[in-house]
Amino acid sequence: MQKSNEEKRVVIYCRESRDDYGENYERIETQRDLLVKYCKGHGYTNIIDIIMDDDRSGTDFSRFDDIRNRAKNKEIDVIVFKNSARLGRNQKEALDFVEYLEEQGVEIIFEDEQYNEEMFGLYAWFNERRARDDSKNIRRNLRHKIEEGDLLVKAIYGYNKNGKELVINPETAPVVQEIFELYSKSWGYQKIATHLNKKGISTPSQARNFANAKQTENWKAQHIVRILDDRRYIGDYVGGHTEKLSFKSKKTRVKSQEEWTIIKNHHDPIIDKELFEKVQKIRAKRKKESDKYNNGFKFVDVENNLYSGLLYCGRCGTPMYKRKGTSGTRTRPDSYLCKKYCNEGTIKDDVRNNYGCKPHRIRIEYLDKIVNAYIDNLVSNPEFKNFVMDNVKAISTNKVTLENELNKSKQNLEKWEKQFKQVYEDKLNDLIPEFIYKDKKQELEKKIKNESEKLEEIQSKYNSLNKLEDKEDLIFKAIDDIKKNGLRKEELSRLFDKIVIYEPKEIKKEEKDLYNLNDMMYNELYENGGLAFHLKFMYPQTITNRGLRYW
């Protein structure tokens, strides 16, 4: 039995509208009130939700993810928009979304225009065209404002924004001056950051104190680099660093420096030009010296960084950095160190809680020996071999099942497509009336769409199993390759989810169960430190290195 308007569950959708210059011409609250009035005037009194997408792009259809789920769960009967432009400005996405709602039995209503299924594609095209034109106009307008020196972005650290002007912040500007002064006296980035942390100086994100914005607790070397690199501190305005790749996308590209808009003497400087140029010369000299020695302690040689994404610090959980051992005339072995330690230095409770970490340094030559010893131990374990073989058999069985489902789905899809072509030809030859053609066309389109989605899902599952290779040497092939060719990143990634490095007295009791360690293994790792291996292939045992300690 069809529901009356009073019984239908209604969702009102509002999206803020903007004109060509990016300024509101309709408050979203006004739009809401108008749609509520419309619904009540037409008997749609069962309003279960009002969605207010304030300042959301019409080309972004991820905003409808929740509505899709609710429609699929049969929680919505009607959705009301002001017009088709408020639904969206991406033709393909709009058509797909509307078709999905119709398949789920959700009625679509536009307040100021009639919803017409056959004409909607044309409306969607006009809306997308409007979005494209708006994007061009906004870019042109922004470019004009930049060239006129109007401030369009947030104030940088050391300044406040007062209308269109940058005004020096009396609290943070002295910090910027101190950073430049210290660097000019041969202080390094990390040393300056540690100095500011000891003084309890607020970081740039803390100083801004934006609501709902992530705030960094500690100064890091990268903060210092950004400040020293920014010529806005000498009074120059720099704009137009980036631009969007497309009006449909949020992705941007960084433009070349020749394309930037630079206006000199735009605002009061915090740093005089002489000091700024002195700092840039020091930085260039240090970089040249660093490059001469293969970047010193930078985690270079990325292509041979075997344990990238696999090795983690046991104390703080951050990834380990690979550091090149050579620095100047001093040579030391290549090693991995804790990322948090590299960024903040050693633990300093007087600076802030949870500040810094221990090095967790491990020489790469020792790490390779430990990993090889662990793999040897793994291969010689008969329980592990049996476990792998059982999983290989299960994978082979699943592949056979999926192959049968794939063939059946492909046959169904081919059948529906042939029927669709035949119906279309019958329509062209006037063998069937218009209303039968429309009904049959809609029925077959739905079947083709559903079968295509089903086929894609089965194919994805099949491909996942295919990647594992349905052979008996599924996992042992990676181990054999390591034995034959040495340690390589591809094989390590196929074996391990992660490798965690602990210093003595560091592993916690709850981590014993996480790595399935027996009492003897746990006690050894707690007393001496070492590595805990977490396998990627479901095997329930994780073994620490034994007899191969590195400190």
Side-chain angles (χ1 to χ4, degrees):
M1 182 178 177
Q2 189 174 4
K3 293 180 180 179
S4 65
N5 287 358
E6 291 82 1
E7 295 174 313
K8 291 178 180 178
R9 296 160 298 178
V10 179
V11 170
I12 291 176
Y13 180 85
C14 308
R15 183 174 65 84
E16 187 181 64
S17 181
R18 295 180 176 273
D19 66 7
D20 290 346
Y21 299 99
E23 299 171 353
N24 300 337
Y25 67 80
E26 178 184 69
R27 292 174 64 249
I28 195 167
E29 291 81 9
T30 303
Q31 188 179 147
R32 175 200 61 198
D33 296 343
L34 186 150
L35 294 182
V36 169
K37 181 179 179 181
Y38 173 87
C39 288
K40 291 181 177 179
H42 289 76
Y44 296 104
T45 54
N46 186 18
I47 300 173
I48 62 173
D49 196 7
I50 299 177
I51 299 172
M52 310 271 283
D53 269 348
D54 194 6
D55 194 13
R56 290 294 297 273
S57 170
T59 60
D60 178 14
F61 274 71
S62 63
R63 54 199 163 92
F64 289 129
D65 289 347
D66 180 61
I67 292 179
R68 287 176 181 271
N69 290 331
R70 293 165 72 178
K72 183 179 180 180
N73 296 329
K74 306 303 179 184
E75 299 172 6
I76 303 173
D77 297 312
V78 179
I79 181 166
V80 181
F81 302 88
K82 186 175 184 293
N83 52 42
S84 59
R86 301 283 63 75
L87 186 151
R89 295 183 181 274
N90 182 314
Q91 184 184 26
K92 179 181 180 302
E93 295 282 3
L95 290 171
D96 288 345
F97 179 64
V98 166
E99 182 179 1
Y100 181 82
L101 292 181
E102 290 175 343
E103 289 175 358
Q104 303 304 323
V106 177
E107 182 182 354
I108 301 169
I109 295 177
F110 296 140
E111 183 271 335
D112 67 358
E113 62 188 45
Q114 184 176 359
Y115 172 67
N116 184 311
E117 180 184 356
E118 294 183 357
M119 293 296 294
F120 181 76
L122 183 60
Y123 293 150
W125 181 84
F126 277 118
N127 291 330
E128 179 175 314
R129 186 70 189 181
R130 170 68 186 275
R132 190 189 306 271
D133 293 342
D134 285 352
S135 177
K136 290 180 180 178
N137 290 332
I138 289 171
R139 287 189 189 184
R140 191 181 300 114
N141 188 45
L142 292 178
R143 183 71 183 177
H144 173 73
K145 287 187 175 183
I146 289 173
E147 291 174 351
E148 291 297 314
D150 290 347
L151 183 65
L152 304 175
V153 294
K154 298 183 290 287
I156 58 173
Y157 186 76
Y159 287 96
N160 291 330
K161 183 180 177 182
N162 183 15
K164 297 180 180 180
E165 296 182 354
L166 281 178
V167 180
I168 292 176
N169 184 313
E171 295 182 2
T172 55
V175 180
V176 175
Q177 292 171 335
E178 184 177 18
I179 290 172
F180 275 87
E181 289 289 349
L182 291 175
Y183 191 86
S184 70
K185 296 176 182 177
S186 298
W187 283 45
Y189 302 135
Q190 186 57 54
K191 186 177 179 180
I192 297 174
T194 302
H195 169 72
L196 297 178
N197 286 326
K198 283 185 176 181
K199 292 177 66 175
I201 303 296
S202 298
T203 62
S205 60
Q206 289 174 328
R208 293 191 187 101
N209 196 28
F210 291 131
N212 301 323
K214 184 178 179 181
Q215 296 186 358
T216 305
E217 294 183 357
N218 302 313
W219 283 86
K220 298 178 181 179
Q222 65 188 33
H223 292 126
I224 309 303
V225 172
R226 289 171 185 166
I227 289 174
L228 293 176
D229 197 43
D230 200 331
R231 62 180 295 150
R232 287 176 289 184
Y233 289 114
I234 60 174
D236 293 348
Y237 177 76
V238 183
H241 297 83
T242 62
E243 67 177 1
K244 290 180 68 175
L245 294 176
S246 165
F247 75 99
K248 294 182 183 180
S249 171
K250 292 184 178 180
K251 294 182 179 180
T252 60
R253 75 170 184 94
V254 178
K255 297 194 291 187
S256 63
Q257 194 164 343
E258 292 75 21
E259 297 179 90
W260 296 359
T261 299
I262 299 176
I263 302 174
K264 295 187 176 182
N265 303 318
H266 174 268
H267 51 269
D268 292 335
I270 294 176
I271 304 300
D272 64 69
K273 293 182 180 180
E274 183 178 350
L275 176 59
F276 185 84
E277 294 300 330
K278 179 181 178 181
V279 165
Q280 303 315 311
K281 288 179 181 179
I282 295 173
R283 294 180 68 212
K285 182 180 178 183
R286 286 183 176 179
K287 184 178 185 302
K288 185 176 180 180
E289 292 174 350
S290 179
D291 290 344
K292 180 180 178 181
Y293 297 107
N294 203 14
N295 285 342
F297 286 104
K298 300 292 183 184
F299 47 101
V300 296
D301 199 16
V302 176
E303 292 182 359
N304 297 316
N305 194 355
L306 290 178
Y307 301 98
S308 172
L310 290 176
L311 197 62
Y312 291 85
C313 170
R315 181 182 181 275
C316 67
T318 59
M320 303 286 285
Y321 273 1
K322 179 185 176 184
R323 278 192 165 181
K324 196 73 177 174
T326 301
S327 176
T329 57
R330 182 174 60 181
T331 302
R332 64 173 69 177
D334 294 350
S335 58
Y336 280 91
L337 281 88
C338 166
K339 175 183 176 181
K340 189 176 179 68
Y341 171 80
C342 293
N343 288 337
E344 300 177 5
T346 57
I347 300 169
K348 296 184 178 69
D349 293 331
D350 58 323
V351 174
R352 194 174 285 113
N353 289 335
N354 198 31
Y355 182 85
C357 195
K358 296 179 180 179
H360 294 77
R361 185 192 303 273
I362 178 169
R363 288 165 60 171
I364 292 178
E365 58 180 305
Y366 292 161
L367 177 60
D368 291 343
K369 290 179 181 179
I370 294 170
V371 172
N372 276 314
Y374 175 80
I375 292 173
D376 288 340
N377 186 31
L378 198 64
V379 174
S380 62
N381 189 332
E383 182 183 348
F384 175 73
K385 289 184 178 180
N386 293 335
F387 182 84
V388 172
M389 293 305 297
D390 289 342
N391 277 279
V392 169
K393 291 178 182 177
I395 290 170
S396 298
T397 302
N398 288 335
K399 282 191 67 177
V400 172
T401 302
L402 287 176
E403 284 174 352
N404 292 333
E405 292 181 8
L406 271 175
N407 291 332
K408 184 177 179 181
S409 182
K410 288 177 180 178
Q411 290 172 2
N412 286 338
L413 188 59
E414 185 178 356
K415 180 176 68 174
W416 303 138
E417 288 175 344
K418 284 183 178 179
Q419 289 185 17
F420 186 87
K421 290 178 181 178
Q422 184 61 51
V423 168
Y424 183 71
E425 289 178 2
D426 290 346
K427 168 67 171 58
L428 292 178
N429 295 324
D430 294 327
L431 298 177
I432 56 175
E434 180 71 21
F435 74 94
I436 293 180
Y437 166 72
K438 285 185 176 180
D439 290 345
K440 200 65 179 176
K441 174 177 175 290
Q442 185 175 4
E443 176 189 344
L444 289 172
E445 283 177 339
K446 184 176 181 179
K447 286 182 178 180
I448 290 172
K449 183 177 183 297
N450 292 339
E451 198 65 46
S452 296
E453 291 175 351
K454 181 181 177 181
L455 179 61
E456 185 178 349
E457 182 180 354
I458 298 171
Q459 187 69 57
S460 177
K461 292 179 180 178
Y462 185 82
N463 291 341
S464 297
L465 290 179
N466 217 29
K467 290 178 183 178
L468 297 175
E469 303 173 4
D470 56 335
K471 299 177 183 178
E472 289 186 354
D473 62 348
L474 174 68
I475 296 173
F476 298 112
K477 184 178 185 301
I479 297 175
D480 289 342
D481 287 343
I482 290 175
K483 292 302 177 185
K484 186 185 301 181
N485 305 315
L487 295 173
R488 295 193 303 181
K489 186 173 179 61
E490 180 182 356
E491 281 73 28
L492 290 174
S493 298
R494 288 164 62 185
L495 284 176
F496 301 112
D497 182 44
K498 63 179 176 178
I499 305 171
V500 184
I501 181 169
Y502 293 97
E503 293 199 4
K505 316 291 183 185
E506 200 166 70
I507 187 171
K508 298 174 183 177
K509 204 74 174 177
E510 54 266 27
E511 292 174 308
K512 176 184 176 183
D513 295 331
L514 176 64
Y515 295 106
N516 213 5
L517 303 174
N518 59 36
D519 290 338
M520 182 182 69
M521 291 176 178
Y522 172 78
N523 291 332
E524 181 179 339
L525 190 56
Y526 181 81
E527 293 296 331
N528 302 318
L531 273 66
F533 293 82
H534 196 285
L535 285 165
K536 183 171 279 186
F537 294 100
M538 304 171 286
Y539 184 60
Q541 295 293 325
T542 303
I543 307 171
T544 59
N545 61 300
R546 307 189 62 201
L548 275 172
R549 293 179 57 243
Y550 52 87
W551 50 66

